[in-house]
Structure formats: structure tokens, C-alpha cells
Amino acid sequence: MKHILPNAMLGILGGGQLGRMFTMAARAMGYRVTVLDPDADSPAGGLADVHIRAAYDERAALDRLAETCAAVTTEFENVPADSLGYLAQRVRVSPSAESVSIAQDRIAEKRYISGAGLQVAPFLAIEGAGDLDRNLEGHLPGILKLARLGYDGKGQVRVKTAEEAKAAFAELGGKSCVLERQLNLKAEISVIIARSSPTEVACFPVAENQHESGILDVSIVPARVTPAVAAHAQEMALKLAQAMDYIGVLAVEFFVPDDDDLVINEIAPRPHNSGHYTLDACAASQFEQQVRTLCGLPPADTRLLSPVVMVNLLGDIWRDDEPAWDKLLSQPNVKLHLYGKKTARIGRKMGHFNVLADDAETALSQALELKQMLHA
């Protein structure tokens, strides 16, 4: 693949915080960036060289991207896959429309992962109310999840009985879902890989993730799992990327059951919230990797330079005024990242901070103390 070098214009569909951090990485490396996002106040749009304010499927906007950009990527998987396919006829696109379409539908995603010889939690595709009339015993208690457009715990309902599953299906609007058996877990972990070609692949250290109300709260790196579990997770992520012939940055989330028999939960064809620790704790960030893989360059060094804990900052801590940032910024080992969003809402990701320390437990203790102070 021909290298795309600095001074070239790169395009990205989506102007949220992931697009913002991509833009910052690209510009630091000498590239120019065009953001396509309909929001006039998008966090990435204000930093980009060009902000095209249009819908993601508007052909005139896509034509402008294809004419002015050397390559195009995306910051989220719910961008229309057809738009990526349309662009790919004229310009380099990473990840591919096919990869994104797999991640857009939980049914397709789980079937694809299983077809690649990798384990997922036992599940049933629920595409109509009649699918809940079968014997559900092997999938209960479980979680009924919308097949499309669910994220951060939205569109998910825990169910214990067939009756509850039917009520939940109606509550979710009778849309296609998966019923996934609930597992007893020791931990949830994630792996982020960068793949420029079958022979140019790099894997970041494994993160251990803790959630609140379905939203990622804390990521701990290195993950507190055995070296064998961490290595197996990386191997599974690499095998899946190979099966997909994936080019770009790919996040793979795993469940760690009591017996350590890893199960893939879901994938994200982009940088991931659980990879924000790489901004401060690794030799290269996941966003630099997104730039490099898009431009046909080999992935950069993924070494962990310091144990780290990442804490999400949600809109919940914004009250009458700004949070007490001095509590964070007075700590020399804490790195604050704010996303430039103008309006704070409960549950909205507004930023994050990374705590660097000599070991993960020390970083976690300090991170949780700082989080509590911000919420006080």
C-alpha cells in the first residue's frame, strides 16, 4: 500500500471526541484534517482544517471528501456503511464498509465472530416476538440487547424469565435483538490492535474495564488477569482481525468467566474509550495508530511506559459551574483530557483523566479518590 505522507488531507466521518483526538494526532504528525459532521459545535470540527456540516449520507459532502482527501476514516460504527462503500470507490477508506457493517448489528457480529472460530456468550437472535416462544432455558437469566444502535448500556434489559423477555422485547419496540445468557464474570477486559497489513500488526496492553450503568467508568492497565489470559485475549483479537482482513484500529471487548475461558463480547471498528490510557502511558496512542494505519504506515511502538488508570468524566459532575479541576491538575502524575463539548448532560462523556503510577493498584487507589472528590 502506498504511503500517505504529512501535508496530505485526511477525512473523518464524525466530529465527536474520538474525531477530535484523531484530529489532534493527525495535525501533530503534519497532516491536515477534514471533519464531516452535521453538528456546528462538534468537538472535532472546531480543531479541523475543514469542517463540512452535512449529513453522513449526503452525496455532495461525500463527493467533496473524495475529491479533497487522500484517505477517509470514521470515528464511530453507526455511520452509514453505504457512505464508506461509496467513498471507497474513489479514495482509500479504513476501516472498510464491510467491517463497519459487521459491527453495526449484534446478530451479524456474533455470527461472524463464531464463524471465525472464536467464542461468544450463548445467544439467540430475536427478530420477531415469535422467536421468544421457543425454549429459552439455556439463555436465562440473560440480557436482551437491541441488535442495532445500542451503546453505553442503552437498549439493554436484564431478564430472568421468558415473560420478562417478552415484556422487554415490547419495551424495546419489537426491534431485532439478541438474547444473551448472563455469565458469572471475574472481569471484563479489552484489547486494541492496529493493523496496516497482514504482516504489520501491533497490539496494545490489555485493559481491565469497570462499568457503571452500562458506561465505561474505569480502565486499569495492566489488567489484573494472568499473563496467560492476557496473551490469549491478544491472540483472539489478532485472529479476528485477520479473519476480517481488517485495516485500521480495532477494539475487542472480552468477558473473563470464572474458568478464564474467554468470551468475546463485542467489537468496535475504531479507537475505543478503554484505549484512552494510551494517550499518556504508551509510546504511541491509539489515535496515532489510526492515522498510521489509514496512511498505510506500519503501526508505531505500543510499549506501556507506565501503569495507568483511566477514569471517564461524565456530565453528572457539572453542576452550577465547572468541576474543581484544581483537584486533578495539582497532581503531577495526573493527565486531564477535556473534549470541548459545550453542553454537559447526565451520562454524556465530557472528558477523562489518566493517573500514572509505579503500579496499577497505586494508580487505581488515587484515581478512585480523585473521582470521589470530583463527585462530592
Side-chain angles (χ1 to χ4, degrees):
M1 185 185 298
K2 182 180 178 181
H3 294 166
I4 296 171
L5 299 176
N7 287 322
M9 180 73 83
L10 306 178
I12 184 166
L13 300 180
Q17 65 265 21
L18 299 180
R20 178 185 178 94
M21 287 181 271
F22 168 84
T23 299
M24 294 169 71
R27 294 193 65 174
M29 295 168 68
Y31 294 90
R32 294 173 295 131
V33 179
T34 295
V35 168
L36 173 59
D37 190 293
D39 182 0
D41 295 323
S42 71
L47 297 182
D49 296 271
V50 178
H51 180 192
I52 301 173
R53 291 181 281 277
Y56 298 120
D57 58 357
E58 185 176 306
R59 285 297 172 93
L62 297 175
D63 287 339
R64 185 175 172 190
L65 276 181
E67 291 164 2
T68 60
C69 296
V72 179
T73 188
T74 178
E75 73 149 5
F76 68 116
E77 56 267 38
N78 287 327
V79 66
D82 287 347
S83 294
L84 295 175
Y86 178 76
L87 286 166
Q89 297 174 39
R90 298 167 58 190
V91 68
R92 183 185 300 177
V93 172
S94 164
S96 68
E98 293 77 12
S99 296
V100 171
S101 66
I102 291 168
Q104 287 179 338
D105 187 294
R106 291 184 190 275
I107 297 173
E109 178 184 67
K110 290 183 180 298
R111 287 174 175 166
Y112 193 94
I113 294 169
S114 297
L118 299 166
Q119 185 167 233
V120 298
F123 76 97
L124 290 174
I126 309 299
E127 297 175 284
D131 290 330
L132 291 168
D133 290 332
R134 71 184 94 172
N135 184 358
L136 305 180
E137 184 176 344
H139 297 83
L140 295 172
I143 306 174
L144 192 69
K145 303 178 179 180
L146 281 173
R148 298 181 68 88
L149 301 179
Y151 66 98
D152 285 345
K154 297 178 177 65
Q156 300 186 17
V157 182
R158 294 178 183 273
V159 295
K160 295 180 180 178
T161 65
E163 290 70 27
E164 287 183 1
K166 292 176 181 178
F169 183 70
E171 179 185 333
L172 294 173
K175 298 176 182 177
S176 293
C177 295
V178 294
L179 177 60
E180 183 179 288
R181 191 172 78 194
Q182 194 169 338
L183 304 175
N184 293 322
L185 303 180
K186 290 199 298 189
E188 296 183 46
I189 62 176
S190 58
V191 174
I192 295 173
I193 69 168
R195 189 174 187 268
S196 299
S197 73
T199 58
E200 297 176 313
V201 187
C203 215
F204 281 106
V206 178
E208 176 186 348
N209 304 314
Q210 299 176 353
H211 298 78
E212 284 190 6
S213 302
I215 301 175
L216 180 64
D217 181 37
V218 171
S219 291
I220 304 159
V221 185
R224 297 171 299 180
V225 296
T226 67
V229 167
H232 189 205
Q234 291 176 324
E235 290 167 6
M236 290 175 69
L238 291 169
K239 182 177 179 180
L240 181 58
Q242 181 178 0
M244 296 172 71
D245 194 20
Y246 190 87
I247 301 297
V249 172
L250 176 71
V252 185
E253 296 182 70
F254 295 85
F255 293 141
V256 185
D258 291 337
D259 61 1
D260 284 345
D261 191 14
L262 288 176
V263 169
I264 294 180
N265 174 26
E266 61 185 23
I267 62 174
R270 53 170 171 79
H272 194 256
N273 198 167
S274 68
H276 290 343
Y277 76 88
T278 64
L279 285 162
D280 301 306
C282 289
S285 77
Q286 61 174 342
F287 300 100
E288 179 181 343
Q289 303 287 44
Q290 187 180 18
V291 175
R292 293 178 71 90
T293 56
L294 177 63
C295 293
L297 299 166
D301 190 347
T302 57
R303 274 180 302 154
L304 185 68
L305 302 178
S306 169
V308 58
V309 169
M310 187 281 299
V311 178
N312 256 337
L313 296 171
L314 304 183
D316 310 50
I317 63 172
W318 271 255
R319 298 185 181 92
D320 296 331
D321 53 14
E322 287 286 307
W325 299 129
D326 58 317
K327 295 177 180 178
L328 295 180
L329 296 176
S330 62
Q331 306 296 314
N333 62 324
V334 174
K335 302 289 188 177
L336 175 63
H337 299 263
L338 295 177
Y339 301 153
K341 296 180 179 179
K342 293 190 174 181
T343 305
R345 297 191 298 269
I346 291 176
R348 190 183 195 194
K349 295 172 183 172
M350 299 294 293
H352 70 271
F353 66 88
N354 289 324
V355 178
L356 310 178
D358 291 336
D359 59 81
E361 292 297 343
T362 300
L364 179 60
S365 177
Q366 183 182 0
L368 294 178
E369 182 179 346
L370 290 169
K371 177 191 169 190
Q372 186 174 5
M373 290 171 63
L374 288 173
H375 281 80

